[in-house]
């Protein structure tokens, strides 16, 4: 058989078989039938021809595989012909299984079955009597005459093993047959391959014959008959044909214009009567007119047809006159030819069979088909033009399928334009319902049909591009509407804090836009390109490029775009806030990057982005956090802690590290009012407001923690005053004598009792100079100080008193992150001192020129000028008194400070200031009048002074003592050391002064007692005595002889 080649391994065997059967027949066994030998060789694969055993030389299919060089050289034609043979037919191997697999499975099945049989036999119970007989060895032999135990169990066991053996024997017999048959598997395989190849060739022949018949059937209508050239030549040359009979008809006379007009009017009348009274006119043919002997029926956006009559009989049919399309683009008139003749013939046939209804159905179906054909051609033109690679057009039966946005991820989007039939109610004159087919559109968006949208197909002016743009515009509107609806679920857009506007368009996709206000200063405009379906963002910032790329990779943009826009709004808000914060000298803590678990624990779940900030002078335990999300923008105060651990450093374990982590303890939302409550405007005023509220919250949190540690009762009362700026709550704390801090506790009742024991602490803002928190502490005295205005002429701005209600308030400045409670308690102690000092000053009828929580300045003398003393009573430093440089009490300032620190010290100091003022004023006058080297005033204490004169030399001791419920100065003259006449005169004058001559003092023994006022006059008189003695001595020295002067000069000793 041509095309069938033997495999190489068979050639050698075939050649051997041929040589044995033909060339050496004598080699057969004696008595063996040669015919059987040939059959055996044929069964082993040997090939034989019809009467000849050799074809190509000595072999059937060429030389064997083991041919020698001589054999190869003897068959050159065979080798050439072998290269021209057709390819080997396909070898069928599908469904073949190795015999070994079948044998292995049978053996395994036999083994498993034998195990089951043995188990079943062991489960059968043998009777007890049989067992006893076996045990006693009394059972007779089977081959003897004895009895055989044929119990039921034994019989069943024997049958079971015999049935199993017989069944297995049958299976192995089948395997034996198969194994014998498999010895000829190679030949059978070749027969199977040949059978498959022959079936394929037969199938090809059958398909070729069917194709030729079908081609003949298709080409039959297209065959044109041969033209009748003889008849054409005769008709064109002679004007007649000889074979056509002449019937002898007399041609009618031509009609005149009047007759033609009359005939047309008559036809118009007949048409009007017939159409209005007798004809059943379809609904679509109700728009008609009669003119020029014809009825013109108009179907909007489809066609116009002209019909007329040929007989006055009402039962006669109407005839086709003309037809025109009533839409564009379409030819104005159908040219004469085959198409027009076909339309005319079918229209007349429909008028004859079904009347006007059939005419309408035929022409309507014709127009619908033509419209679909035009739309299909427009679709192909679009796919080859601007919409190339983004539009897929398929014509399915009478429908047109156009898939748009091919390269967009997600589900497929397409439209189907086809003919739809709907059931409509017939008019009263028609008894049956009819189907009114029309061109309809089905829209599939992401693989799902949308039935809630109606489209204006514009069938009067066919344009698939307009239809597709209308569909894409509705698609874009749907996406933007869903995005806007999803965004309005957030508070920032639902409360109209940020603007969100969707501009819809029914015909132009580029006019459908979505305006989204991201922040107070950033707006983004989103449009969708109609051809590719890609989104474009128009904005004034740089982040939109990556977002635009993400939008164009979304599979479901309607549900995923809101999340991307929320993320974009978060990024833009974060960028604006970060930029404004850095310009306001805030530190951006980018190193603080907590994980999602910590962010979810600190902030709400809708938070998308977070950024941490801190002012330079804040404590490191407090930071500000700005969070943004679809619901709102928020500022938070976050408390931080440190996570310390022991790690091995330098080979030694147990060394603590400085800082190995940050512990995010808690976050507190900063309350904002008005527009800033949901969307943060990135302005300096907003940041200042955030900082102000945050500082107040931090201070109050730390104060509450301190009060809780100190176990002081407290309460945080919110402020209900309506204000555009958020107000911090007021902290109320109760300070009873039992629970007061140690610095306010006394063994005896304190002199600063509280009204209702309540102290209020109010946060007032931030000091711009120091960036410290300003707090106002207010309390009320149980006993008001009504004349506080007369006591103080200038009160420090940090403290204020109300004279009638007894209320007082003071300011506290603390760094951000530090508690005000310790300083508050110190200030309360300072106020206690201040009130005590004011009470003492009031008791002495003095006035204060300056009052604060750290010092008190009062005037204790006004003649000849105001003398002021300043008391400093800060708790950080010891209490002291300060005087001006021109104050006479400056010489005893240290002594006064020592007295001031003693119990009831200010009372004593004021008394001493008044008692010692005349004396110290006299001292100042004496020092002014005398040279510094002649007079020395030595203050031993505030009540003890010594005055020393150098020329003449003398000493005066002054002590302030109490006498008769009053203070008196005791002045003692220690005498002059000079013994000359001038000194004796001075002593005499001193005695006169001591006796009180010209003064109000008394001489008692060796001391002079003078009041605190008269001591000034006394010291002036004593100074005059010493001054007079000096003058006398100087005068005597001038009148002395020169020799004595020289002697005196020689007695001068110069010391190194």
């Amino acid at each position: 058989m041509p095309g069938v080649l033997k495999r190489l391994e068979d050639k050698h065997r075939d050649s051997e078989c041929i040589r044995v059967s033909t060339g050496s027949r004598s080699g057969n066994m004696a008595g063996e039938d040669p015919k059987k030998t040939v059959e055996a060789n044929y069964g082993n694969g040997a090939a034989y021809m019809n009467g000849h055993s050799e074809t190509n030389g000595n072999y059937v299919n060429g030389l064997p595989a083991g041919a020698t060089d001589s054999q190869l050289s003897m068959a050159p034609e065979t080798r050439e012909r072998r290269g021209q043979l057709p390819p080997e037919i396909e070898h069928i191997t599908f469904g073949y299984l190795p015999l070994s697999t079948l044998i292995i499975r049978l053996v395994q099945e036999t083994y498993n079955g034998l195990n089951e049989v043995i188990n079943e036999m062991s489960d059968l119970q043998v009777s007890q009597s049989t067992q006893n007989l076996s045990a006693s060895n009394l059972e007779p032999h089977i081959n003897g005459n004895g009895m055989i135990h044929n119990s039921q169990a034994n019989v069943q066991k024997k049958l079971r093993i015999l049935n199993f053996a017989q069944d297995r024997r049958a299976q192995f017999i089948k395997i034996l047959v198969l194994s014998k048959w498999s010895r000829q598997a190679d030949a059978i395989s070749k027969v199977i391959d040949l059978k498959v190849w022959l079936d394929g060739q037969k199938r090809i022949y059958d398909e070729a014959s069917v194709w030729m018949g079908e081609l003949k059937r298709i080409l039959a209508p297209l065959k044109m008959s041969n033209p009748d050239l003889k008849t054409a030549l005769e008709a064109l040359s002679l004007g007649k044909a000889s074979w056509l009979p002449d019937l002898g008809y007399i041609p009618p006379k031509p009609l005149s214009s009047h007759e033609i007009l009359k005939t047309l009017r008559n036809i118009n009348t007949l048409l009007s009567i017939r159409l209005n009274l007798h004809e059943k006119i379809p609904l679509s043919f109700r728009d008609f007119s009669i003119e020029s002997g014809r009825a013109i029926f108009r179907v909007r956006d489809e066609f116009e047809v002209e019909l007329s009559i040929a007989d006055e009989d009402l039962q006669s049919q109407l005839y086709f006159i003309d037809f025109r399309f009533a839409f564009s683009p379409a030819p104005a008139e159908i040219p004469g030819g085959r198409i027009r003749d076909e339309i005319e013939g079918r229209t007349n046939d429909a008028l004859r069979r079904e009347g006007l209804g059939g005419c309408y159905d035929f022409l309507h179906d014709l127009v619908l088909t033509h419209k679909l054909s035009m739309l299909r051609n427009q679709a192909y033109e679009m796919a080859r033009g601007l919409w190339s690679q983004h539009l897929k057009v398929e014509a399915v039966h009478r429908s047109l399928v156009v898939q748009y946005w091919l390269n967009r991820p997600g589900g497929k989007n397409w439209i189907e334009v086809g003919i739809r039939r709907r059931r409509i109610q017939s008019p009263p004159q028609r008894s049956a319902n009819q189907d009114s087919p029309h061109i309809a559109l089905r829209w599939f968006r992401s693989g799902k049909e949308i039935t809630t949208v109606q489209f204006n197909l514009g069938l009067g002016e066919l344009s698939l591009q307009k239809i597709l743009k209308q569909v894409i515009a509705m698609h874009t509107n749907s996406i933007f509407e869903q995005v806007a609806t999803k965004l309005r679920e957030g508070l920032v857009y639902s409360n109209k804090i940020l603007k969100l506007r969707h501009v819809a368009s029914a015909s132009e996709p580029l006019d459908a836009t979505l305006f989204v206000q991201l922040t107070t200063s950033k707006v983004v405009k989103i449009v969708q390109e109609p051809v590719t379906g890609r989104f474009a963002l128009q904005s004034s910032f740089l982040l939109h490029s990556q977002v635009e790329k993400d939008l164009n990779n979304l599979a479901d943009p309607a549900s995923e775009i809101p999340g991307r826009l929320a993320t974009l709004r978060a990024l833009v808000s974060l960028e604006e806030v970060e930029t404004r914060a850095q310009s306001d000298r805030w530190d951006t803590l980018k190193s603080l990057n907590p994980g999602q678990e910590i962010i979810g624990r600190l902030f709400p779940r809708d938070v998308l982005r977070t950024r941490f900030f801190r002012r330079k002078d804040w404590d490191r335990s407090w930071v500000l956090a700005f969070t943004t999300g679809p619901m709102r923008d928020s500022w938070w105060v976050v408390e931080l802690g440190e996570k310390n651990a022991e790690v091995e450093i330098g080979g030694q374990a147990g060394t603590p590290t400085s800082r190995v982590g940050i512990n995010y303890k808690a976050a507190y939302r900063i309350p904002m009012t008005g527009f800033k409550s949901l969307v943060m405007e990135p302005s300096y005023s907003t940041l200042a407001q955030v900082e102000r509220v945050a500082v107040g919250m931090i201070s109050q949190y730390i104060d509450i923690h301190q009060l809780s540690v100190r176990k002081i009762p407290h309460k945080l009362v919110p402020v209900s005053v309506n204000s555009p700026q958020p107000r911090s709550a007021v902290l109320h704390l109760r300070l009873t004598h039992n629970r007061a801090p140690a610095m306010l506790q006394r063994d005896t009742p304190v002199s600063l009792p509280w009204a209702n024991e309540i102290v209020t602490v109010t946060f007032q803002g931030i000091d711009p100079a120091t960036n410290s928190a300003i707090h106002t502490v207010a309390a009320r005295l149980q006993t008001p100080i009504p004349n506080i205005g007369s006591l103080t002429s200038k009160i420090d701005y940090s403290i204020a008193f109300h004279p009638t209600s007894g209320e007082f308030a003071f300011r506290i400045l603390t760094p951000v992150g530090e508690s005000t409670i310790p300083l508050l308690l110190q200030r309360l102690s300072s106020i206690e001192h201040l009130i005590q000092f004011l009470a003492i000053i009031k008791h002495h009828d003095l006035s204060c020129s300056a009052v604060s929580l750290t010092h008190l300045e009062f005037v204790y003398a006004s003649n000849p000028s105001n003398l002021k003393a300043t008391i400093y009573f800060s708790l950080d430093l010891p209490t002291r008194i300060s005087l001006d440089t021109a104050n006479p009490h400056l010489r005893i300032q240290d002594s006064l400070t020592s007295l001031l620190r003693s119990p009831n010290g200010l009372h004593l100091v004021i008394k001493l200031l008044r008692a010692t003022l005349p004396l110290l004023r006299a001292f100042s006058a004496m020092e002014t009048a005398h040279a510094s080297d002649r007079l020395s005033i030595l203050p031993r204490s505030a009540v003890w002074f010594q005055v020393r004169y150098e020329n003449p030399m003398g000493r005066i001791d002054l002590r302030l003592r109490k006498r008769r419920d009053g203070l008196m100065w005791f002045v003692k003259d220690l005498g002059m050391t000079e013994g000359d006449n001038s000194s004796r005169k001075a002593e005499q004058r001193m005695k006169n002064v001591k006796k009180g001559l010209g003064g109000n003092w008394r001489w008692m023994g060796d001391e002079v007692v003078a009041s605190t006022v008269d001591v000034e006059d006394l010291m002036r008189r004593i100074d005059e005595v010493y001054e007079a003695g000096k003058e006398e001595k100087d005068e005597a020295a001038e009148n002395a002889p020169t020799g004595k002067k020289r002697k005196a000069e020689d007695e001068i000793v110069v010391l190194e």
Side-chain angles (χ1 to χ4, degrees):
M1 175 65 66
V4 178
L5 297 178
K6 290 181 174 293
R7 287 186 289 270
L8 296 177
E9 59 267 20
D10 299 333
K11 296 178 180 179
H12 182 67
R13 183 171 63 250
D14 293 345
S15 60
E16 291 178 355
C17 293
I18 292 173
R19 288 197 301 270
V20 170
S21 61
T22 57
S24 57
R25 292 179 178 267
S26 59
N28 295 334
M29 296 179 63
E32 185 179 3
D33 190 1
K35 187 175 183 180
K36 294 182 179 179
T37 305
V38 173
E39 291 178 354
N41 293 332
Y42 181 80
N44 292 329
Y48 288 87
M49 304 303 293
N50 295 328
H52 299 279
S53 61
E54 297 182 4
T55 303
N56 297 330
N58 296 325
Y59 301 96
V60 178
N61 288 329
L63 296 176
T68 62
D69 296 338
S70 61
Q71 292 175 337
L72 292 175
S73 62
M74 292 173 63
E77 298 178 356
T78 303
R79 292 196 301 273
E80 182 179 359
R81 187 180 303 172
R82 182 178 180 183
Q84 298 176 356
L85 293 177
E88 185 178 357
I89 64 176
E90 182 183 2
H91 180 58
I92 305 301
T93 59
F94 178 76
Y96 282 22
L97 291 176
L99 181 62
S100 59
T101 302
L102 185 60
I103 296 174
I104 291 173
R105 291 180 180 177
L106 181 61
V107 172
Q108 184 67 32
E109 183 180 359
T110 303
Y111 176 77
N112 295 336
L114 181 61
N115 288 333
E116 293 178 358
V117 169
I118 294 174
N119 293 333
E120 291 177 0
M121 293 174 63
S122 64
D123 293 338
L124 296 177
Q125 300 293 332
V126 183
S127 62
Q128 186 66 28
S129 60
T130 304
Q131 295 179 359
N132 295 334
L133 290 175
S134 300
S136 60
N137 297 323
L138 296 178
E139 184 178 1
H141 295 283
I142 296 176
N143 55 1
N145 296 324
M147 299 177 59
I148 299 175
H149 297 284
N150 294 324
S151 62
Q152 187 68 24
N154 290 334
V155 172
Q156 291 181 359
K157 291 181 179 180
K158 294 175 182 179
L159 291 177
R160 186 71 185 88
I161 191 64
L162 289 176
N163 291 335
F164 173 76
Q166 185 177 3
D167 180 68
R168 292 294 95 189
R169 179 176 178 275
Q171 296 294 332
F172 278 98
I173 290 174
K174 293 179 181 179
I175 291 296
L176 177 61
V177 173
L178 291 176
S179 64
K180 290 182 177 180
W181 179 85
S182 64
R183 294 186 178 91
Q184 299 180 356
D186 294 339
I188 298 299
S189 176
K190 294 178 182 178
V191 173
I192 294 174
D193 296 345
L194 185 60
K195 177 65 169 58
V196 172
W197 183 83
L198 289 175
D199 292 342
Q201 295 297 317
K202 182 179 179 181
R203 184 172 61 254
I204 292 173
Y205 292 147
D206 293 340
E207 291 177 354
S209 61
V210 171
W211 176 80
M212 293 175 64
E214 184 68 18
L215 181 63
K216 181 179 180 181
R217 186 186 66 81
I218 294 174
L219 295 177
L222 303 178
K223 183 178 180 181
M224 297 180 63
S225 59
N226 296 329
D228 189 359
L229 298 179
K230 181 179 180 181
T231 303
L233 181 61
E234 184 178 359
L236 292 175
S237 59
L238 302 178
K240 62 179 181 179
S242 59
W243 59 272
L244 292 175
D246 187 4
L247 301 178
Y249 287 130
I250 300 174
K253 296 180 181 181
L255 296 176
S256 63
S257 299
H258 178 73
E259 290 175 344
I260 294 175
L261 180 60
K262 183 179 178 179
T263 303
L264 292 178
R265 287 178 178 176
N266 187 22
I267 294 175
N268 291 343
T269 303
L270 294 176
L271 285 174
S272 178
I273 294 172
R274 181 171 178 175
L275 294 177
N276 289 312
L277 298 178
H278 303 283
E279 198 71 38
K280 294 180 180 179
I281 302 176
L283 290 176
S284 301
F285 271 1
R286 289 302 180 94
D287 182 14
F288 68 91
S289 62
I290 301 174
E291 57 184 18
S292 301
R294 65 190 68 186
I296 304 174
F297 295 91
R298 301 177 180 87
V299 180
R300 184 180 178 184
D301 296 337
E302 291 191 11
F303 62 88
E304 293 181 3
V305 61
E306 297 180 1
L307 306 177
S308 186
I309 58 176
D311 196 348
E312 294 182 0
D313 187 5
L314 298 178
Q315 300 301 324
S316 63
Q317 76 170 66
L318 297 172
Y319 290 95
F320 175 86
I321 302 298
D322 196 5
F323 174 81
R324 293 179 297 275
F325 290 111
F327 60 89
S328 63
E333 294 182 359
I334 299 178
R338 182 177 177 182
I339 296 178
R340 182 180 177 87
D341 295 341
E342 186 74 17
I343 294 175
E344 181 177 355
R346 292 198 179 189
T347 304
N348 289 331
D349 184 63
L351 287 170
R352 178 179 58 82
R353 289 185 291 101
E354 300 179 11
L356 291 176
C359 175
Y360 169 75
D361 291 340
F362 168 68
L363 295 178
H364 178 64
D365 189 65
L366 174 65
V367 170
L368 294 183
T369 303
H370 184 59
K371 284 185 176 181
L372 288 177
S373 177
M374 296 188 66
L375 290 175
R376 181 171 60 251
N377 294 335
Q378 292 178 3
Y380 284 126
E381 291 179 2
M382 292 174 59
R384 290 190 296 266
L386 180 63
W387 298 72
S388 177
Q389 299 181 358
H390 301 287
L391 210 64
K392 183 179 181 181
V393 181
E394 294 182 5
V396 182
H397 302 293
R398 293 182 67 186
S399 299
L400 175 64
V401 179
V402 180
Q403 181 183 352
Y404 59 94
W405 295 351
L406 296 180
N407 299 324
R408 270 206 62 84
K412 296 182 179 180
N413 307 284
W414 74 89
I415 60 174
E416 293 182 4
V417 182
I419 298 176
R420 177 183 297 172
R421 298 180 180 271
R422 60 180 180 180
R423 307 289 293 183
I424 62 172
Q425 186 65 31
S426 301
Q429 62 268 26
R430 300 189 66 172
S431 58
N433 291 343
Q434 68 173 2
D435 291 338
S436 179
H438 62 282
I439 294 180
L441 183 143
R442 299 175 65 192
W443 178 28
F444 292 84
R445 186 177 65 200
S446 298
K448 298 180 181 179
E449 184 178 2
I450 308 300
T451 59
T452 58
V453 181
Q454 298 295 331
F455 297 98
N456 181 16
L457 301 182
L459 298 178
E461 185 178 353
L462 293 179
S463 176
L464 183 64
Q465 184 172 0
K466 290 183 179 180
I467 296 175
L468 190 58
K469 280 190 174 182
Q470 187 179 167
V471 173
I472 293 176
M474 298 301 295
H475 196 161
T476 303
N477 291 336
S478 175
I479 293 175
F480 287 166
E481 184 64 30
Q482 295 182 47
V483 171
T485 303
K486 188 70 175 179
L487 289 176
R488 288 191 180 96
E489 295 178 0
L491 297 178
V492 293
Y493 294 109
S494 61
N495 295 339
K496 298 182 179 180
I497 297 175
L498 295 179
K499 295 180 180 180
L500 176 64
R501 182 164 56 94
H502 170 218
V503 179
S505 176
S507 58
E508 182 56 45
L510 288 177
D511 294 339
T513 57
L514 181 64
F515 293 91
V516 182
Q517 184 179 7
L518 302 178
T519 63
T520 56
S521 59
K522 296 290 190 304
V523 179
V524 64
K525 176 183 176 182
I526 307 176
V527 296
Q528 191 172 22
E529 206 277 324
V531 177
T532 61
R534 296 180 61 86
F535 293 96
L537 273 66
Q538 300 177 6
S539 60
S540 59
F541 48 89
L542 300 178
L543 294 176
H544 73 279
S545 57
Q546 182 61 34
V547 177
E548 180 177 322
K549 181 179 179 182
D550 294 341
L551 295 185
N552 292 318
N553 293 329
L554 298 179
D556 187 7
S559 60
E560 298 181 24
I561 284 180
R564 297 298 193 278
L565 291 180
T567 303
L568 177 61
R569 197 192 77 80
L571 292 175
V572 173
S573 301
L574 198 64
E575 181 183 15
E576 288 187 348
V577 170
E578 185 174 355
T579 302
R580 193 56 56 91
Q582 290 177 355
S583 62
D584 200 19
R585 293 181 299 178
W586 286 22
D587 292 337
T588 303
L589 307 178
K590 294 185 178 180
S591 60
L592 294 182
N593 189 17
Q596 292 297 329
E597 181 181 356
I598 297 177
I599 292 179
R601 177 173 57 86
L602 295 178
F603 309 114
R605 293 183 178 180
D606 59 347
V607 170
L608 297 178
R609 290 293 185 273
T610 306
R611 184 71 77 215
F612 295 91
F613 302 93
R614 183 193 286 132
R615 294 287 290 183
K616 294 182 182 293
D617 46 6
W618 281 21
D619 187 83
R620 298 184 62 86
S621 300
W622 296 94
V623 296
L624 283 174
F626 175 75
T627 61
T628 178
M631 290 298 177
R632 62 185 301 166
D633 297 342
S634 301
W635 283 93
W636 303 77
V637 174
V638 181
E639 183 182 7
L640 303 180
E642 294 184 357
K643 295 179 181 178
N644 294 331
E646 292 185 357
V647 296
E648 184 176 354
I649 299 178
Q652 297 181 357
T655 305
T657 60
S658 61
R659 179 174 175 179
V660 298
I662 298 177
N663 180 21
Y664 297 85
K665 294 183 177 179
Y668 310 95
R669 189 193 299 272
I670 298 177
M672 306 295 289
T673 59
F675 179 82
K676 302 175 183 178
S677 59
L678 298 179
V679 178
M680 298 301 168
E681 181 182 3
S683 61
Y684 294 110
S685 60
T686 302
L687 295 182
Q689 179 180 344
V690 169
E691 181 183 3
R692 182 181 184 277
V693 178
V695 171
M697 293 177 62
I698 294 173
S699 300
Q700 289 182 350
Y701 177 84
I702 297 176
D703 292 344
I704 292 174
H705 178 70
Q706 285 287 334
L707 293 174
S708 300
V709 172
R710 296 173 183 264
K711 298 181 180 181
I712 299 177
H714 59 278
K715 181 180 180 182
L716 200 61
V717 179
V719 180
S720 59
V721 178
N722 294 328
S723 174
Q725 300 292 335
R727 299 290 300 276
S728 300
V730 180
L731 180 61
H732 293 252
L733 56 130
R734 183 187 298 273
L735 291 178
T736 61
H737 181 69
N738 295 331
R739 293 185 178 181
M743 63 180 63
L744 295 180
Q745 292 182 359
R746 301 289 188 273
D747 295 336
T748 59
V750 297
S751 59
L752 185 61
W754 311 101
N756 298 326
E757 302 175 340
I758 299 299
V759 179
T760 61
V761 181
T762 306
F763 174 72
Q764 296 294 336
I766 304 175
D767 184 22
T770 61
N771 289 331
S772 301
I774 303 175
H775 294 83
T776 300
V777 182
R780 178 177 297 179
L781 296 176
Q782 187 174 8
T783 303
I785 305 176
N787 57 345
I788 186 68
S790 61
L791 291 177
T792 60
S793 60
K794 182 180 179 182
I795 300 179
D796 187 19
Y797 69 94
S798 62
I799 186 171
F801 291 92
H802 196 278
T804 57
S805 63
E807 290 184 347
F808 66 93
F810 57 90
R811 299 176 62 187
I812 296 178
L813 298 180
T814 56
V816 179
E818 295 185 5
S819 176
T820 61
I821 300 302
L823 187 57
L824 182 146
L825 299 178
Q826 294 179 3
R827 292 294 177 87
L828 290 178
S829 298
S830 300
I831 291 177
E832 180 181 5
H833 294 312
L834 177 63
I835 299 301
Q836 291 176 355
F837 291 160
L838 289 176
I840 294 173
I841 291 174
K842 176 185 175 183
H843 176 71
H844 289 280
D845 295 331
L846 299 178
S847 62
C848 297
S849 58
V851 175
S852 69
L853 295 179
T854 57
H855 67 278
L856 175 68
E857 185 179 272
F858 61 92
V859 179
Y860 61 89
S862 59
N863 187 17
S865 61
N866 292 336
L867 297 179
K868 300 178 182 180
T870 304
I871 307 297
Y872 292 93
F873 48 87
S874 175
L875 296 180
D876 299 335
L877 299 174
T879 305
R880 64 185 180 88
I881 187 171
S882 177
L883 303 172
D884 297 336
T885 56
N887 196 309
H889 286 93
L890 186 61
R891 66 182 71 247
I892 61 172
Q893 179 176 338
D894 295 339
S895 299
L896 294 176
T897 299
S898 300
L899 289 175
L900 184 62
R901 297 172 184 172
S902 62
N904 205 12
L906 182 60
H907 182 71
L908 296 176
V909 169
I910 293 176
K911 283 187 176 182
L912 285 178
L913 288 175
R914 289 182 170 180
T916 57
L917 178 60
L919 177 62
L920 295 178
R921 192 164 51 225
F923 286 164
S924 298
M926 293 164 57
E927 288 178 342
T928 303
H930 297 278
S932 59
D933 57 348
R934 181 173 177 270
L935 177 65
S936 300
I937 300 175
L938 304 176
R940 302 299 184 181
S941 66
V943 296
W944 179 18
F945 299 92
Q946 280 190 359
V947 181
R948 294 181 179 181
Y949 288 94
E950 297 297 333
N951 186 19
M953 298 182 63
R955 291 184 302 168
I956 299 174
D957 187 80
L958 297 94
R959 296 176 184 268
L960 182 65
R961 297 173 183 172
K962 187 175 182 181
R963 185 173 182 271
R964 296 180 182 179
D965 298 332
L967 294 177
M968 304 294 289
W969 282 102
F970 289 81
V971 182
K972 183 178 182 181
D973 182 17
L974 299 179
M976 297 182 182
T977 58
E978 300 291 339
D980 53 1
N981 295 331
S982 59
S983 299
R984 286 192 292 268
K985 292 179 181 179
E987 290 178 358
Q988 185 60 38
R989 295 191 195 95
M990 183 65 70
K991 289 180 181 180
N992 294 335
V993 173
K994 292 178 181 179
K995 291 179 180 180
L997 299 178
N1000 189 16
W1001 54 83
R1002 297 182 62 185
W1003 188 15
M1004 300 178 62
D1006 57 350
E1007 293 178 338
V1008 178
V1009 180
S1011 64
T1012 56
V1013 178
D1014 296 334
V1015 71
E1016 182 179 6
D1017 189 27
L1018 175 61
M1019 291 305 298
R1020 181 180 58 79
R1021 296 282 299 277
I1022 292 175
D1023 185 69
E1024 291 177 354
V1025 172
Y1026 276 90
E1027 183 65 24
K1030 174 182 177 301
E1031 292 177 355
E1032 292 177 356
K1033 187 175 181 179
D1034 293 341
E1035 184 179 356
E1038 292 177 357
N1039 297 329
T1042 306
K1044 291 186 177 182
K1045 290 182 180 181
R1046 175 63 60 186
K1047 183 179 181 180
E1049 292 177 0
D1050 294 339
E1051 292 178 356
I1052 295 176
V1053 179
V1054 179
L1055 300 178
E1056 294 182 0

